[in-house]
Amino acid sequence: MLFFLPDAAAAVRAYARLLRPGGRLVLSTFTEVTDADKEWFQHLGAALGPYLPASPEPAPGSPPPPEARLRTQQSLADVLTDGGFSDLRFAEIAHRTVFARPEQFWDWLWSAGMRGMMESIAPQDHDAVRTALTALVAERLRAADGTLGWTTSIRFTTARRP
């Protein structure tokens, strides 16, 4: 959750104060956005866009949104080493969430990090959005083996307090 905090550097410094020498901090974060991710988000945005309220433009100099923070190993290394940690190690895994049927994606969105976005859709539009998403998932999230799924890359970072 470090990427959700408004001041990740302050949080890392606090973690370092709380750990005894030799203590370890382990974080899970997203990885860099791939071309496949960008393509999927474009399709998802096209399906959801007509039903979402307009987003305000970010103020100049405002930090990136939480989902865009700390996506690179270098960004994590910078905040962790500046916060007093060393011996950084990174491990990345791909996690695939499999859906039994295309309609299940709608339910999953309501149980995951996109719930806030989904709550901004007017209730009278839910049926239309569910229909659009079901068609999109059936077309775009089907793997070669026939399964439907969404793959997310996760980075686990371990750091040690000297």
Side-chain angles (χ1 to χ4, degrees):
M1 290 188 32
L2 185 63
F3 55 88
F4 281 122
L5 301 176
D7 190 347
V12 167
R13 289 189 302 273
Y15 296 151
R17 285 192 305 273
L18 292 170
L19 287 171
R20 65 179 101 191
R24 293 179 193 226
L25 175 66
V26 179
L27 307 169
S28 64
T29 58
F30 297 110
T31 59
E32 293 85 345
V33 177
T34 66
D35 289 341
D37 293 335
K38 289 176 189 174
E39 181 182 351
W40 167 247
F41 289 133
Q42 285 176 340
H43 291 291
L44 187 60
L48 293 174
Y51 304 99
L52 295 172
S55 297
E57 289 296 318
S62 62
E67 65 275 6
R69 297 181 199 161
L70 302 176
R71 279 208 178 250
T72 66
Q73 286 186 11
Q74 188 61 54
S75 63
L76 284 165
D78 291 346
V79 75
L80 290 168
T81 56
D82 290 350
F85 286 91
S86 64
D87 193 24
L88 277 57
R89 300 183 189 231
F90 302 98
E92 296 179 9
I93 64 158
H95 173 75
R96 184 160 173 82
T97 302
V98 177
F99 306 105
R101 58 196 192 296
E103 298 82 3
Q104 190 180 13
F105 184 76
W106 168 265
D107 297 330
W108 179 78
L109 284 175
W110 284 90
S111 69
M114 292 188 191
R115 182 182 180 99
M117 177 187 65
M118 298 303 289
E119 288 175 343
S120 72
I121 297 171
Q124 66 268 21
D125 292 331
H126 285 187
D127 287 342
V129 174
R130 185 182 299 114
T131 298
L133 289 178
T134 297
L136 179 64
V137 167
E139 178 186 343
R140 296 277 173 186
L141 294 186
R142 190 169 306 279
D145 66 2
T147 61
L148 294 167
W150 167 261
T151 301
T152 305
S153 293
I154 306 295
R155 177 178 292 122
F156 293 99
T157 303
T158 305
R160 186 179 51 81
R161 180 178 171 216

